[in-house]
């Protein structure tokens, strides 16, 4: 008989999203257990540097900002792929979330009244901060926004916010089991009742049974190999959902490439670098972005900047290096003080990892996989499709405020806002649900995993798991990157279909008891291969260019055929995934031009009203559970007209 | 370039009944800009599949990869082999419980310390979602951030000779966290609370000024300055409270 | 290298049974202050003491004059009692910090050494912008303990000797005189004094450095301005070297190796008074 642990709420993932949700439940008096691969403070949220968006409007360059403008920027940024109601919930709650974090203890940078020198669009400019705003939360500039709206603590925002959040977790006495990996959800008849978990301390397999289960496991960037993500971001959480066969993953083809990953280590230097005035230069030390984007220049949305950089490199203007082609990021003019205070992590990273002193030298950068807009599809309460009692939030989810491109600073803010909003629904759900400690069901799922492990450990002949990983990532890197073509995507899809079969035949060389790192990785590879296939095949299917998904053979955004969201499931019995499509959600801002990026558009054939009338019904047909409040209630009609 | 590096690595798997601590030797060709993160992964993937170590961010931000590199506790991910001699000796951080090979349990220790020092902001004020945030001087915010930057890598504890012999000791990281809370105007704990918490031999007076913490801290935190601040504060509280207490009796 | 194979994770506090936490905190603060202040007091005393003994550099008369002055005013008698007490109080309170077990002391030493050594093996490339900070303070502390122990033994002997002198004087004898001192030192006691001198100056130097860093770092102090570690270290080394040099010359004079070098300074004064 295996060890079974019961709790009201089981939160898988101790990043910002998971912890904030856990706090929401624990402060309602519910029993919560958080699982994490690593100690909570090491979660990848801690690596976020730049900041989080909220329309507080305290800084003089953010004057007049409000939630509607933030919402507008977000929807445009998403290239209309977002669920506009969710984006609205997000924008409305973001200022509250920032203030709450200030109350919990985040040392936000604050407004200092009076003049100061900043760089705007490459020019040194003096701005005068209002004295009557002194001491309120300050903001910096980020890409794709109409106002300066990104709240920050130097370039350690994720770090300070996560540490503060974790202190709250400690205060509430929430149990955290770190070095624990959820392997499979325990579910029956469309109800989730817990998870099978493997201890990374001693290899023990346990069952956790709960009233409500929450997935908040972050991104899957490591499937790409070259990524700014932490090495633990291997898509294990979205794999939990995909394994059920009924819960769909959405928009997996929407992958963000960040303009400034450093070469060769792929570590991120924050968008704050450009927000604070950093410039992109080419091999001739020429500043090329204003040629492509006269209005936003370096600070267009990430998909656009990355695309322009790639475009410019394809014109032969990249810098050749032993580690591949790259461009330069020039931070020198910001000065030593700025670099050693507000961009201190960036300074350290450049110095330690590539031996470049940004005070004196250019930093080599290139677009690098950074964020997954897609993920486990949930309704606006965070409830997954087709699975009662299973919630998802944070980067792993597709709550869908990001559509096909997320704005910098919106993701960290999403984790905390979703933690509040979805967290509340999680608590409500747990309160009205009874614990089903179905021991035999748990045992059945545990045995399945034990058998799998036994099988892996007994393998005598088979594939090397690390080689398979490299093959998967190579296919994605080559064919499913910034620019995509039908031909390349075909290759990737066929290749990955083949790899999905090969991963069944992995050989684990190490038979060591305990954590056994090779076995741990072997347990993840199937999920990585299958999700890679969803990315490639989703991209192949989507015959348009929207946000970060850019097809050379279909350069236009097609709102007639593709104003929708990809849903992919993988039922057990199937050798291949099932793809379906649903409307993106109720539209308020009709699809239009983003004002940057210069793409073409094919307009909708039907009216917005017609589109909206189908949303509810079609989403339900795909398995969406009814949210607590009916669809659209949070979307004030045409409020945007007042700010345009 | 072109060197062959020799890694002498501490190995021990406590979950295996028959395993004993030992030193394993691995060889690796050095490549340009090779860091210990890449090197260890190569060793694991090519030579020792059961080799345990911890990395998360591999960018010097998360604090997972502290280990003793040639006798010095530091972050492995941002240590370049080119700064090291041909032979590289790797040990797990002392002080923390060993989980296996180079992996140690810093997480549980730091959680216990967080509980002990109640590392959250103590306030009676209720959060009001509709109200403007409480104002704070930017200079104060910066000062707090300076101490908040600790990534809990544990290098300071591993380098502190005092911590090795006094397992109760909060260590530089613990003291630093208290210092961070003490300068935060939002934390309403009063002087006596601080005094009781930290004027102890496992607190600030457990530190005898070895200064290794300050030298090895990968984040260059001004640890000694924080400690001096705490000491002065403790003296000020302890010696002034004497009168009050006497008066009360 | 010592690895923690313990299955328990690092310990946390285990406060004493039921003493009041406020009183406990108070006691810890007091202990720290007593060991620190007695140390600083002893160090300051030693500077004065060095100047007193080095009056031999200006001639035996000067030395005797100073000795007589102290003894006649009862300053010497009071001081020696006071110093003896402070000496032992410091010893008792400061050695609280010395780890009891041999194994523990060995661990500390190993760690100190390994961090110190790691510097020389790292970063040979001086052009690198990132420099590792060298580290010696752990090793210095270990030597502080060792020198402290030595002072305990040799200092006690010394205190006994000069104490007897002063007692004699009080009972009508000669007390401390240049003649007596030079005889003592010249007949072999110099060996003890050289060791004691180096130990005391080293111990006091490091002690003062540590004391300054512990309490005043970041503050503004007279002489050194804003206290930084580097500055304090430099000042401390300067003082250390100065006093060791003065002490060595003094010992050389006391043991009759050289003539008092500054005798001419006061020559006129003593000639007249005779
Ligand atoms: C380098 C970098 C910089 C960034 N900077 C910014 C920025 O400036 N602004 C911004 O808005 N966004 C930024 N982002 C994005 C943002 O940081 C992330 O999207 C966000 O932190 C995700 O938070 P999360 O809580 O969803 O997941 P994470 O913080 O990644 O946490 C995931 C948690 O799940 C756990 N976990 C995973 N799998 C399992 C499993 N199988 N079982 C148990 N536990 C599991 C992990 O241990 C971890 O605790 C950045 C991202 C990167 C990569
Ligand atoms: C009796 C023999 C002595 C012993 C065993 C001894 C031992 C010690 C020890 C172990 C410390 C370290 C305490 C700590 O770090 O908290 C110390 C500190 C110190 N000692 Fe001594 N010592 C002795 C004599 C002296 C003498 C004669 C002097 C002066 C010349 C002196 C001056 C100091 C000073 C200034 C400190 C620093 C205090 C501090 O850091 O708070 N000690 N001593
Ligand atoms: C009131 C107390 C003291 C008196 C009166 C005193 C007196 C003297 C005298 C007279 C000498 C000359 C040598 C001799 O006559 O033997 C001397 C030398 C010396 N004493 Fe003391 N002493 C006192 C305390 C101490 C203490 C506490 C220490 C250190 C632990 C110390 C360390 C030394 C040293 C190192 C020398 C050699 C001096 C040199 O080379 O300059 N003394 N002292
Ligand atoms: S104080 Fe420095 S060395 Fe210690 S845990 Fe924090 S970052 Fe690491
Ligand atoms: S090394 Fe240790 S003794 Fe104090 S100064 Fe640092 S904590
Ligand atoms: S892996 Fe995060 S600090 Fe080294």
């Amino acid at each position: 008989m295996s060890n079974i642990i019961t709790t009201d709420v089981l939160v898988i993932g101790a990043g910002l999203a998971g912890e904030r949700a856990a706090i929401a439940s624990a402060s309602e008096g519910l029993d919560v257990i958080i699982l994490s691969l690593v100690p909570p403070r090491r979660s990848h949220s801690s690596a976020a540097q730049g900041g989080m968006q909220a329309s507080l409007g305290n800084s003089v360059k953010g004057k007049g900002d409000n939630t509607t403008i933030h919402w507008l920027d977000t929807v445009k940024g998403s290239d209309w792929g977002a669920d506009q109601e969710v984006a609205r919930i997000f924008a409305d709650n973001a200022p509250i979330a920032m203030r709450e974090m200030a109350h919990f203890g985040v040392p936000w940078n604050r407004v200092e009244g009076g003049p100061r020198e900043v760089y705007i669009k490459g020019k040194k400019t003096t701005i005068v901060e209002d004295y009557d705003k002194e001491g309120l939360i300050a903001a910096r500039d980020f890409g794709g926004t109409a106002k300066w709206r990104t709240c920050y603590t130097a370039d350690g925002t994720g770090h300070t916010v996560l540490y503060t959040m974790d202190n709250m977790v400690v205060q509430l006495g929430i149990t955290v089991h770190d070095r624990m990996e959820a392997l499979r959800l325990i579910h029956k008849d469309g109800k989730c009742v817990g998870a099978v978990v493997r201890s990374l301390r001693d290899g023990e397999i346990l069952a956790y049974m709960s009233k409500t289960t929450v997935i908040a496991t972050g991104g899957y960037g490591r499937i790409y190999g070259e990524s700014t993500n932490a090495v633990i971001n291997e898509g294990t959480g979205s794999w939990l959902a995909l394994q059920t066969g009924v819960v769909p993953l959405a928009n997996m083809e929407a992958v963000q490439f960040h303009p400034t990953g450093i070469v060769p280590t792929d570590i991120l230097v924050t968008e704050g670098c450009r927000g604070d005035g950093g410039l992109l230069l080419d091999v001739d030390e020429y500043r090329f972005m204003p040629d492509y984007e006269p209005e936003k220049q370096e600070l267009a949305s990430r998909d656009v900047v990355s695309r322009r950089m790639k475009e410019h490199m394809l014109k032969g203007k990249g810098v050749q290096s032993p580690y591949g082609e790259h461009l330069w990021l020039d931070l020198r003019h910001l000065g030593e003080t700025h670099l050693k205070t507000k961009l201190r992590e960036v300074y350290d990273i450049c110095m330690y990892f590539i031996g470049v002193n940004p005070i004196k030298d250019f930093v080599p950068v290139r677009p690098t996989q950074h964020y997954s807009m897609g993920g486990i599809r949930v309704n606006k309460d965070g409830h997954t499709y087709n699975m009662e009692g299973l919630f998802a939030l944070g980067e792993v989810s597709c709550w869908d405020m990001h559509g096909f491109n997320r704005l910098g600073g919106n993701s960290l803010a999403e984790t905390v806002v979703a933690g509040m909003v979805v967290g509340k629904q999680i608590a409500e759900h747990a309160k009205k649900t009874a614990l089903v400690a179905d021991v035999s069901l748990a045992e059945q799922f545990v045995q399945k995993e034990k058998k799998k492990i036994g099988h892996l450990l007994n393998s005598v002949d088979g594939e090397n798991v690390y080689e398979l990983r490299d093959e998967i990532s190579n296919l994605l890197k080559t064919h499913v990157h910034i620019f995509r073509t039908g031909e390349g995507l075909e290759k990737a899809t066929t290749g990955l279909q083949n790899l999905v079969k090969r991963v069944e035949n992995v050989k684990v060389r190490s038979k060591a008891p305990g954590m056994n790192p090779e076995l741990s990785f072997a347990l993840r590879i199937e999920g990585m291969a299958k999700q890679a296939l969803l990315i490639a095949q989703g991209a192949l299917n989507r015959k348009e260019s929207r946000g970060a998904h850019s097809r050379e053979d279909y350069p236009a955004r097609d709102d007639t055929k593709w104003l929708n969201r990809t849903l992919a499931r993988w039922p057990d019995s199937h050798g291949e995934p099932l793809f379906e499509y649903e409307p993106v959600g109720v539209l308020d801002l009709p699809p239009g031009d983003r004002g940057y990026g210069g793409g073409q558009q094919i307009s909708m054939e039907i009216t917005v009203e017609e589109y909206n009338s189908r949303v509810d019904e079609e989403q339900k047909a795909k398995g969406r559970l009814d949210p607590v409040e009916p669809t659209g209630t949070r979307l004030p009609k045409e409020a945007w007209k007042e700010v345009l | 370039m072109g060197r062959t590096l020799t890694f002498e690595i501490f190995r021990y798997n406590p979950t295996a009944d028959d395993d004993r601590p030992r030193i394993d030797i691995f060889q690796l060709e050095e490549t340009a800009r090779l860091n210990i993160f890449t090197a260890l992964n190569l060793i694991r993937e090519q030579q020792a599949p059961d080799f345990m170590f911890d990395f998360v961010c591999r960018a010097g931000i998360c604090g997972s990869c502290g280990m003793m590199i040639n006798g010095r506790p530091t972050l492995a991910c941002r240590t370049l082999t080119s700064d090291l001699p041909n032979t590289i000796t790797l040990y797990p951080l002392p002080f923390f419980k060993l989980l296996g090979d180079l992996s140690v349990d810093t997480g549980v220790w730091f959680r216990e310390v967080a509980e002990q020092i109640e590392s959250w902001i103590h306030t009676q004020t209720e959060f009001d979602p509709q109200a403007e945030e409480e104002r704070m001087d930017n200079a104060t915010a910066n000062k707090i951030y300076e101490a908040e930057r600790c990534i809990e890598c544990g290098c300071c504890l591993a380098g502190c000779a005092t911590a090795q012999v006094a397992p109760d000791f909060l260590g530089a990281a613990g003291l630093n966290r208290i210092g961070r809370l003490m300068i935060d105007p939002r934390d309403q704990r009063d002087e006596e609370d601080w005094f009781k918490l930290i004027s102890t031999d496992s607190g600030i007076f457990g530190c005898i000024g070895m200064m290794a913490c300050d030298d090895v801290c990968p984040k260059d935190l001004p640890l000694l300055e924080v400690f001096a601040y705490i000491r002065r504060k403790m003296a000020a509280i302890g010696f002034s409270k004497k009168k009050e207490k006497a008066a009360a009796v | 290298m010592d690895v923690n194979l313990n299955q328990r994770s690092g310990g946390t506090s285990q406060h004493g049974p039921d003493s009041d936490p406020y009183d406990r905190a108070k006691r810890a603060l007091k202990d720290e202050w007593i060991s620190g202040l007695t140390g600083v007091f002893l160090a300051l005393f030693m500077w004065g003491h060095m100047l007193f003994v080095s009056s031999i550099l200006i001639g035996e008369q000067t030395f005797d004059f100073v000795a007589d002055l102290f003894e006649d005013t009862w300053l010497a008698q009071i001081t020696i009692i006071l110093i003896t007490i402070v000496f032992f109080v410091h010893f008792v309170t400061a050695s609280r910090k010395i780890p009891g077990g041999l194994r523990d002391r060995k661990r500390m030493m190993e760690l100190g050494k390994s961090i110190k050594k790691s510097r020389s093996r790292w970063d040979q490339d001086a052009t690198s912008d990132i420099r590792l900070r060298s580290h010696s303070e752990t090793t210095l502390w270990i030597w502080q303990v060792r020198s402290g122990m030595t002072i305990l033994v040799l200092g006690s002997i010394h205190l006994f000797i000069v104490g007897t002198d002063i007692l004699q004087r009080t009972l009508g004898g000669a007390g401390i005189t240049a003649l007596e001192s030079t005889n003592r030192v010249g007949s072999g006691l110099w060996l003890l004094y050289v060791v004691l001198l180096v130990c005391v100056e080293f111990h006091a130097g490091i002690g003062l450095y540590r004391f300054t860093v512990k309490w005043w770092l970041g503050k503004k102090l007279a002489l050194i301005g804003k206290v930084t570690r580097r500055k304090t270290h430099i000042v401390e080394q300067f003082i250390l070297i100065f006093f060791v040099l003065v002490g060595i010359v003094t010992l050389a004079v006391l043991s009759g190796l050289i003539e008092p070098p500054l005798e001419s300074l006061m020559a006129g004064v003593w000639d007249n008074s005779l």
Side-chain angles (χ1 to χ4, degrees), chain B residues 30-86:
Chain B
E30 186 171 38
T31 50
R33 297 238 146 257
L34 181 68
N35 58 26
I36 303 283
F37 161 69
T38 313
L40 294 189
N41 274 291
L42 285 174
I43 290 174
R44 170 147 90 194
E45 287 171 21
Q46 296 165 0
Q47 307 183 37
D50 56 347
F51 181 18
M52 290 176 271
F53 48 77
D54 294 321
F55 289 96
V56 177
C57 71
R58 45 94 223 191
I61 297 175
C62 75
S64 302
C65 63
M67 56 183 74
M68 300 296 273
I69 303 180
N70 285 1
R72 191 182 189 95
T74 194
L75 298 179
C77 66
R78 64 171 211 191
T79 301
L80 299 178
T81 56
S82 56
D83 288 335
L84 298 169
N86 295 343

Side-chain angles (χ1 to χ4, degrees), chain C residues 13-41:
Chain C
S13 81
Q14 15 183 275
H15 293 309
D18 41 22
S19 68
D20 173 36
Y22 187 82
D23 290 343
R24 250 188 295 121
K26 198 90 191 228
R27 202 171 319 128
L29 173 67
K30 265 195 201 145
D31 282 350
E32 182 77 10
W33 267 79
I34 292 171
S35 77
L37 286 185
T38 49
V40 172
F41 178 81

Side-chain angles (χ1 to χ4, degrees), chain A residues 38-44 46-49 56 58 96-97 99-112 131-137 153-157 159-161 163-164 166-176 178-179 201-203 222 227-232 264-268 323 341-342 344-345 348-349 351-356 464 466 469-470 509-519, chain B residues 13 15-18 31-33 35 37-38 41 44-65 76-80 83 97 99 101 103-108 110-111 114-116 118-154 177 180-181 184 186 217-222:
Chain A
V38 294
R41 294 175 186 208
R42 316 238 187 270
S43 298
H44 198 51
S46 72
Q49 303 163 349
L56 294 165
N58 295 328
I96 300 173
R99 290 178 173 140
E100 189 185 58
M101 290 317 297
H103 182 74
F104 287 168
V106 172
W108 294 116
N109 277 49
R110 303 291 178 137
V111 175
E112 283 180 272
Y131 282 101
D132 63 337
K133 297 281 185 191
E134 187 150 285
L136 297 175
I137 299 172
T153 51
D155 57 354
T157 313
H159 172 90
T160 56
V161 178
Y163 272 54
T164 306
D166 194 52
N167 282 332
M168 296 301 293
V169 167
V170 177
Q171 178 178 9
L172 291 167
I174 298 173
T175 311
V176 178
D178 69 9
R179 295 178 187 266
R201 293 165 182 270
D202 54 15
R222 281 286 137 191
S227 164
T228 63
N229 285 15
V231 296
I232 57 167
T265 49
D266 305 313
I267 297 172
L268 181 85
Y323 317 105
T341 54
K342 294 204 167 163
R344 181 174 182 152
E345 290 303 335
D348 274 0
I349 286 171
M351 294 287 278
Y352 279 101
F353 289 91
I354 50 174
V356 167
N464 178 317
Y466 299 114
R469 172 201 64 190
D470 292 344
R509 291 164 293 168
S510 160
K511 316 291 178 204
M515 187 245 180
N516 193 342
E518 195 187 15
L519 173 66
Chain B
N13 181 355
T15 55
D17 296 333
D18 52 350
T31 50
R33 297 238 146 257
N35 58 26
F37 161 69
T38 313
N41 274 291
R44 170 147 90 194
E45 287 171 21
Q46 296 165 0
Q47 307 183 37
D50 56 347
F51 181 18
M52 290 176 271
F53 48 77
D54 294 321
F55 289 96
V56 177
C57 71
R58 45 94 223 191
I61 297 175
C62 75
S64 302
C65 63
C77 66
R78 64 171 211 191
T79 301
L80 299 178
D83 288 335
K97 176 187 157 188
L99 291 174
D101 299 343
S103 170
V104 293
D105 195 353
T106 47
V108 167
F110 274 104
R111 163 94 187 208
E115 280 165 7
Q116 190 187 335
E118 307 191 345
S119 72
W120 54 90
I121 299 282
H122 288 52
T123 174
Q124 298 298 317
T125 328
E126 282 282 330
F127 173 66
D128 176 358
Q130 300 319 320
E132 189 176 81
E133 64 272 22
E134 230 178 278
R135 292 184 191 234
M136 184 190 273
D137 184 24
N138 196 39
T140 310
N142 284 336
K143 229 161 81 192
I144 298 172
Y145 178 65
E146 192 58 23
E148 178 89 348
R149 288 170 43 246
C150 166
I151 56 173
E152 302 196 342
C153 60
R177 190 130 300 266
R180 177 248 174 272
L181 290 163
D184 195 324
R186 290 168 295 196
C217 174
K219 289 279 134 180
D220 273 329
L221 290 169

